[in-house]
Amino acid sequence: MEEIIKLAPIAGAAGVQEPLLVLRPRRGWQRLGLKDLWQYRELLYFLCWRDIKVRYKQTALGVAWAILQPLMTMVLFSLFFGKLAKMPSDGIPYPLFVLTALVPWMFFSNGITQSAGSLVENASLLKKVYFPRLAVPIASIIAGCVDFLCSFVLLIGMMLFYGIVPSASVVWLPFFLALACIASLGVGLWLSALNVQFRDVRYVIPFLTQLWLFATPIAYPSSLLSEPLRTVYGLNPMVGVVEGFRWALLGTETSPGPMLLVSAVASVLVLLTGAFYFRRMEVTFSDRV
Amino acid sequence: MADLAVRVENLWKQYRVGRQPERYSTLRDTMANMFRAPFRKLQGLVPGQGSPDAAGDDRFWAVKDVSFDIRRGEVVGIIGRNGAGKSTLLKILSRITEPTRGQVSLYGRVGSLLEVGTGFHPELTGRENIQLNAAILGMKREELTAKFDEIVAFAEVEKFIDTPVKHYSSGMYLRLAFAVAAHLEPEILIVDEVLAVGDAAFQKKCLGKMEGVAKEGRTVLFVSHNMQAVTRLCERVILLDGGGVVGDGPAGQLVTRYLSSGDGNTKMRAWDDPVRAPGSDVVRLCAVRTRTEDGQPTDLVDIRKPLGVEIEYDVLKPGHIFHPCFSVHNSEGVHLFSAQDTDGTWRRRARPTGRYVSTGWIPGDLLNEGAMFVGVAVWTLNPEHCHFYERDAVAFHVVDSYDEESARGGWPFSVPGAIRPFCKWETQSEHGTVVVPDDLPDDVPQAQCKG
């Protein structure tokens, strides 16, 4: 053994070999490793594809759930908040008003739930093979886009039913969808990394999403609030997304404005902090899941 | 010195005792720790603490100061008993976990195979699982397209390729899982104990494929408890014990050392947990031992001495006739012989339930020197049924002396051949017939010399 160690530096000098990869202990904050993630894009694609395929393979109604969930919630909300509580709805028929918010909301809440559990669910993978760990929660968010598309079809149907045609502001819709992705990925990264360390997270999530649902203007319009407060309200990223959807599709009079900007900044902040926290905790994942 | 493939320098890895893998913590624990942490840090200031040797009481080093170089094209076996740090080392090399200290330099694309069927999903079809598994193992899509048919053919699942794998038999599942992995083409391949699964035919197929990989000139790191496989595949072996390297050299030499040092504990194997013991609901294996004539368990036998193979088993249901038997393979994997029960006591009699110990004696002056692997089985005839066949249940090592009393005849070099019977020799010359030596053991003439 000793002989080999002594010989080695000579060989290194003569062969002029550069290692492809050096593994050494990492501590503290890490770079995001997006390049590595890009090289593994094929795996990301297959993880999404698997999540989508498996999700509905054993359910009797299959993809229909993606439509049933927002539909049933819409009916319930219309009954209790629209009919009984007589909630204002910016002059839009209440069911449509709620559904337009529920579609991005469900994408968000399902996204954070799925991604929060994703690392623990894929424990066997994390323990047996290397790949950029970020791929796991990202895949579960992207897989949620299929559900979003299905429920979006329902939304279009409802708009046709009420005879509402969106104005030119509809071109902004992809922007709001992107914002929803950023927000749910950000929160999902935080929760998934925390979930590896503290399994308490699993029990917190249903409570968190419920609370968040009512902290977001879904059953009510954000126009209930007056201006300085309304902008502060935008700190909840989903406020900007939901009001943005309504503005782009239904043409509600109040354009989101400064509130939207606050939401956008908040989302990006959550994503960045989430990603760095995730990378910091990543080294312990395979030993802990 | 040829090109480097892997260089490991002063590698250490620490785990918490009883937490390997570390148990997840709850918020409550962490909060409690936050209050204790400042006091711990104070303790850390006491000299002596914090150095690798004086690690805290609840921590231990799974890998301790391991260093070695592997050159391109080398096939290296990593052996050692359970807990020696083999798997932790492979996990670090394949980037699943990080070292606590030290570093590893990799001079090529690494593909690791620590488990067959990683990421397989029962709901997906064979085809879908191949695609998913290939992506997980880092195979590019073009690469997979080119090899897809080959993979399916290797796995022998052509007909069921579009059936969800939950309907597969365990054999089909394993074949499919291994097939994908076997077609990986990284520059450095890391394999952990994947040959421990599946039936004998499957293992043989896998071993054959691994040999192919090794012959292609790729660098392979191979962890196994199967010493036959290690000696067949690897030219070099690194022997680990207690987290550190205790030997590094030619495979045959180190496998011998591992087996003869008793490290491998190959002289006896017992199955304490009846659920995991080999067997059926009729008969179940309890233990297998190799022992000397005076009853001492041993895994080291003098070439001239007989060795007993003791098979201990429980008969769980009465009314069956059993045939215990064992087989001996050498380190090249050559099946030397099988021995059937020659004791007539129970040959045609149904046995009552209870514990039995059958011992078969391997005669002295039969085997050549080296490592031997014993497989044991219990059969019933009518209908023909194998209740268990435990391959490599125990292993022993045959040693020959140089004292001119053995079949070696004082020959100082290696004596090739699968067996080494003691052949009686005589030499005729003009000086008359002389028979030497005249103090031959009585049982020797049984071993006839054909040459």
Side-chain angles (χ1 to χ4, degrees):
Chain A
M1 247 347 269
E2 274 172 21
E3 207 176 357
I4 292 174
I5 294 167
K6 275 181 208 154
L7 277 172
I10 304 163
V16 203
Q17 263 183 298
E18 278 300 310
L20 200 71
L21 190 68
V22 176
L23 314 175
R24 52 167 85 91
R26 292 187 295 169
R27 289 218 175 74
W29 301 105
Q30 305 298 324
R31 299 174 57 180
L32 288 181
L34 295 180
K35 206 174 142 194
D36 202 18
L37 191 63
W38 176 248
Q39 281 179 341
Y40 274 84
R41 59 191 182 276
E42 213 155 276
L43 176 64
L44 187 62
Y45 163 78
F46 273 109
L47 285 177
C48 293
W49 170 83
R50 179 200 62 177
D51 281 358
I52 294 164
K53 274 227 147 139
V54 169
R55 190 174 302 172
Y56 293 115
K57 242 182 179 172
Q58 268 187 319
T59 56
L61 294 179
V63 188
W65 279 114
I67 292 176
L68 276 175
Q69 267 182 317
L71 186 69
M72 301 304 276
T73 319
M74 178 193 79
V75 170
L76 280 176
F77 274 37
S78 308
L79 221 63
F80 288 103
F81 296 109
K83 285 260 187 260
L84 291 177
K86 302 246 184 302
M87 233 11 130
S89 57
D90 288 347
I92 306 290
Y94 194 81
L96 185 58
F97 173 81
V98 166
L99 188 67
T100 313
L102 276 175
V103 167
W105 167 258
M106 289 206 157
F107 169 70
F108 173 78
S109 77
N110 288 338
I112 63 172
T113 312
Q114 294 286 346
S115 57
S118 61
L119 285 176
V120 175
E121 259 168 53
N122 287 294
S124 61
L125 267 190
L126 300 188
K127 282 187 203 166
K128 294 293 179 193
V129 70
Y130 168 80
F131 56 88
R133 298 334 192 183
L134 278 169
V136 171
I138 293 178
S140 55
I141 298 281
I142 298 178
C145 289
V146 175
D147 286 9
F148 172 81
L149 286 178
C150 295
S151 56
F152 195 73
V153 171
L154 172 71
L155 182 57
I156 293 173
M158 285 290 287
M159 284 171 68
L160 288 176
F161 179 77
Y162 283 105
I164 288 181
V165 178
S167 65
S169 51
V170 76
V171 296
W172 286 97
L173 198 69
F175 169 76
F176 297 115
L177 179 60
L179 201 59
C181 281
I182 290 171
S184 62
L185 182 59
V187 177
L189 288 177
W190 269 106
L191 292 178
S192 60
L194 280 169
N195 193 26
V196 173
Q197 206 180 353
F198 311 108
R199 298 298 157 97
D200 311 60
V201 170
R202 199 177 359 167
Y203 302 103
V204 174
I205 286 171
F207 183 66
L208 179 79
T209 50
Q210 208 154 33
L211 210 68
W212 206 322
L213 169 73
F214 291 108
T216 306
I218 291 166
Y220 55 89
S222 68
S223 56
L224 286 182
L225 296 170
S226 52
E227 199 27 76
L229 233 83
R230 212 174 155 233
T231 304
V232 175
Y233 194 27
L235 281 174
N236 170 1
M238 285 313 286
V239 171
V241 172
V242 163
E243 287 300 334
F245 261 71
R246 282 188 182 138
W247 173 70
L249 285 172
L250 309 177
T252 43
E253 280 170 27
T254 45
S255 77
M259 181 183 78
L260 180 69
L261 193 70
V262 172
S263 282
V265 171
S267 307
V268 171
L269 269 179
V270 171
L271 178 64
L272 283 178
T273 53
F276 279 106
Y277 177 71
F278 187 96
R279 286 285 290 169
R280 189 191 164 106
M281 298 311 290
E282 195 180 72
V283 295
T284 64
F285 286 171
S286 70
D287 296 335
R288 280 179 194 257
V289 286
Chain B
M1 198 167 177
D3 292 342
L4 265 179
V6 179
R7 166 170 290 177
V8 176
E9 290 164 281
N10 307 96
L11 204 67
W12 298 76
K13 172 75 186 179
Q14 189 180 52
Y15 280 111
R16 294 226 183 117
V17 173
R19 288 192 168 194
Q20 189 200 19
E22 226 164 303
R23 195 179 63 89
Y24 56 84
S25 43
T26 61
L27 262 175
R28 203 185 53 193
D29 295 342
T30 305
M31 283 181 190
N33 274 330
M34 272 161 65
F35 290 109
R36 277 188 228 127
F39 300 103
R40 273 225 193 104
K41 276 189 183 147
L42 278 177
Q43 280 175 351
L45 294 175
V46 179
Q49 294 263 342
S51 75
D53 303 286
D57 37 309
D58 63 338
R59 285 150 192 274
F60 84 101
W61 294 92
V63 170
K64 277 191 235 167
D65 199 18
V66 167
S67 301
F68 56 81
D69 281 0
I70 291 172
R71 276 162 286 150
R72 203 155 285 178
E74 264 191 311
V75 180
V76 179
I78 296 177
I79 61 173
R81 61 192 163 82
N82 287 333
K86 307 180 299 280
S87 295
T88 309
L89 181 62
L90 290 204
K91 276 191 170 183
I92 296 171
L93 292 180
S94 43
R95 297 180 74 185
I96 290 159
T97 190
E98 299 207 329
T100 314
R101 284 145 194 249
Q103 71 170 41
V104 178
S105 312
L106 299 168
Y107 297 82
R109 219 179 108 208
V110 174
S112 62
L113 180 58
L114 304 194
E115 182 188 64
V116 285
T118 307
F120 261 47
H121 199 289
E123 290 293 332
L124 299 178
T125 67
R127 182 187 303 276
E128 290 165 342
N129 268 310
I130 290 179
Q131 291 169 341
L132 179 64
N133 197 232
I136 287 170
L137 294 173
M139 202 185 278
K140 294 268 166 269
R141 208 179 308 186
E142 313 84 67
E143 215 178 315
L144 177 64
T145 321
K147 285 184 193 153
F148 191 85
D149 293 335
E150 210 181 314
I151 291 173
V152 175
F154 183 89
E156 302 164 27
V157 291
E158 289 93 339
K159 276 189 205 157
F160 308 98
I161 195 65
D162 291 312
T163 310
V165 296
K166 66 177 173 185
H167 300 305
Y168 278 31
S169 71
S170 59
M172 285 160 67
Y173 185 94
L174 273 176
R175 282 203 304 274
L176 183 68
F178 187 83
V180 185
H183 290 80
L184 268 180
E185 282 186 349
E187 289 150 296
I188 304 164
L189 182 65
I190 296 175
V191 188
D192 187 9
E193 203 58 274
V194 286
L195 302 176
V197 292
D199 55 19
F202 173 71
Q203 290 194 353
K204 204 169 172 184
K205 195 166 177 178
C206 296
L207 204 60
K209 185 73 195 174
M210 291 284 303
E211 266 181 323
V213 169
K215 282 203 186 100
E216 283 163 32
R218 263 179 278 156
T219 313
V220 183
L221 258 89
F222 178 58
V223 159
S224 184
H225 284 108
N226 184 340
M227 291 302 134
Q228 283 184 52
V230 170
T231 42
R232 226 173 103 182
L233 284 175
C234 312
E235 61 251 39
R236 177 180 159 199
V237 156
I238 294 172
L239 176 59
L240 294 181
D241 191 30
V245 176
V246 293
D248 184 346
Q253 204 176 312
L254 275 153
V255 166
T256 306
R257 189 170 136 197
Y258 171 66
L259 292 175
S260 58
S261 68
D263 269 344
N265 191 19
T266 60
K267 57 181 172 266
M268 177 178 162
R269 212 157 130 208
W271 286 264
D272 300 324
D273 180 6
V275 180
R276 303 185 72 177
S280 62
D281 53 352
V282 179
V283 60
R284 193 183 290 135
L285 186 59
C286 303
V288 184
R289 283 176 286 266
T290 49
R291 63 177 176 90
T292 58
E293 276 171 306
D294 45 8
Q296 287 299 313
T298 184
D299 48 15
L300 204 61
V301 61
D302 186 304
I303 198 161
R304 293 162 290 189
K305 295 275 168 41
L307 184 79
V309 175
E310 226 173 62
I311 311 167
E312 194 177 325
Y313 49 98
D314 277 332
V315 172
L316 306 170
K317 277 186 188 159
H320 294 266
I321 299 169
F322 297 108
H323 296 263
C325 52
F326 69 86
S327 64
V328 174
H329 287 74
N330 69 9
S331 58
E332 274 94 56
V334 178
H335 187 172
L336 296 177
F337 68 90
S338 293
Q340 311 301 322
D341 179 13
T342 51
D343 174 21
T345 321
W346 292 102
R347 193 171 295 163
R348 284 179 193 83
R349 290 172 59 195
R351 299 198 199 197
T353 56
R355 179 156 296 190
Y356 295 81
V357 181
S358 301
T359 309
W361 289 93
I362 302 169
D365 281 321
L366 169 68
L367 301 170
N368 202 344
E369 282 173 282
M372 301 293 156
F373 302 86
V374 181
V376 297
V378 167
W379 286 80
T380 39
L381 306 177
N382 287 328
E384 187 182 321
H385 179 64
C386 178
H387 295 285
F388 61 80
Y389 169 53
E390 185 65 14
R391 216 182 134 92
D392 300 341
V394 287
F396 62 91
H397 210 84
V398 180
V399 283
D400 196 355
S401 67
Y402 288 84
D403 61 9
E404 308 191 0
E405 298 290 319
S406 72
R408 172 178 285 281
W411 176 254
F413 311 115
S414 76
V415 183
I419 56 171
R420 191 185 296 178
F422 195 110
C423 304
K424 189 177 172 182
W425 279 72
E426 47 188 31
T427 306
Q428 284 170 350
S429 72
E430 51 187 323
H431 308 294
T433 304
V434 188
V435 180
V436 281
D438 48 21
D439 56 344
L440 274 177
D442 294 340
D443 57 341
V444 164
Q446 290 169 5
Q448 291 290 323
C449 182
K450 292 176 186 166

